[in-house]
Amino acid sequence: FLRYSSLGVKMRAVVDRSEVAELMGVDSRRVSAIAWAVGTGFAALGGILVAPFYGSLDAYTLIFVGIAATAAAVLGRLESLPLALAGGLGISVAQFIVQRYVEGDLAQQLRPSIPFIVLFAVLFIPRRWPDVGGPTYQPVARERAAQDPRQKAIRLGVLAAVLVLPPFLLGTGWQADVLGGSWANIIALVPPMAIIFLSLVVLSGYAGQVSLCQAVLAGFGAFVAAHLVNDWGWPFLLAAPAAGLVTVPLGAVLA
């Protein structure tokens, strides 16, 4: 598909040189939107197929699956699907070997750690990564038409409706009967998890880096916010931005 189909070639062109692809008449925004739709569909299908093996469908279980997939993609140098597939199979085989031959609590702790170990080891191996343009490459500046204030307001309203309003609009009546008693906790996990994992787009897609450090920053911010709410009695809407500000110096030190 990526090598012979028209859409697949356009996807590769947009990833490699979006500005040059646009000069050839490719609508990079449309191609990126299609790629997002295809990727989201595969992610949803993967979650559906994986859930029966774990006996549940929860964000924490699928996070470890995503980390394993990230390690497999890094083994494939972020460009080779066969190598990524081989890396994923190798990681899964290693996890089953640990489960079979290691006893006690060590096996339960070591098995989910294997993708982290692989990712840590691969990132320290000297290797030549794909060239993303070289020092002489200068991106072509694109002039984008200024959006109408009404369009911005509509987009902001839609975003707020999708991320903020559902937990407040869904009451404890028939929605709880349909979705179950734990629906509020499930829905509440969606926006923060989406923000954390969409940060991978900024790191890998735009900056060309492979890192899981944003998970550390998110955990630190959640830790601070939880203590502000539970121990100090702060309202959540005040504790959340305060915890974000406290996390900024930690990010600066790590950077």
Side-chain angles (χ1 to χ4, degrees), residues 78-125:
L78 303 180
E79 65 174 6
S80 173
L81 293 177
L83 289 179
L85 177 61
L89 291 175
I91 292 174
S92 63
V93 169
Q95 289 180 324
F96 281 111
I97 291 177
V98 169
Q99 182 180 1
R100 174 66 177 83
Y101 294 102
V102 180
E103 299 179 356
D105 296 336
L106 179 61
Q108 298 179 356
Q109 299 176 6
L110 183 59
R111 182 180 178 184
S113 301
I114 290 178
F116 290 96
I117 296 174
V118 172
L119 186 61
F120 183 81
V122 171
L123 293 180
F124 271 89
I125 296 177

Side-chain angles (χ1 to χ4, degrees), residues 140-200:
V140 179
R142 290 181 295 179
E143 297 181 0
R144 295 185 177 180
Q147 293 183 356
D148 185 22
R150 183 184 303 176
Q151 294 179 349
K152 291 185 178 180
I154 293 175
R155 290 189 177 186
L156 184 61
V158 172
L159 183 62
V162 171
L163 296 180
V164 179
L165 295 182
F168 295 97
L169 295 180
L170 294 177
T172 58
W174 64 269
Q175 294 91 346
D177 296 333
V178 174
L179 301 176
S182 60
W183 64 267
N185 294 331
I186 297 175
I187 293 178
L189 284 174
V190 174
M193 293 295 179
I195 293 174
I196 293 172
F197 281 98
L198 284 175
S199 63
L200 289 173

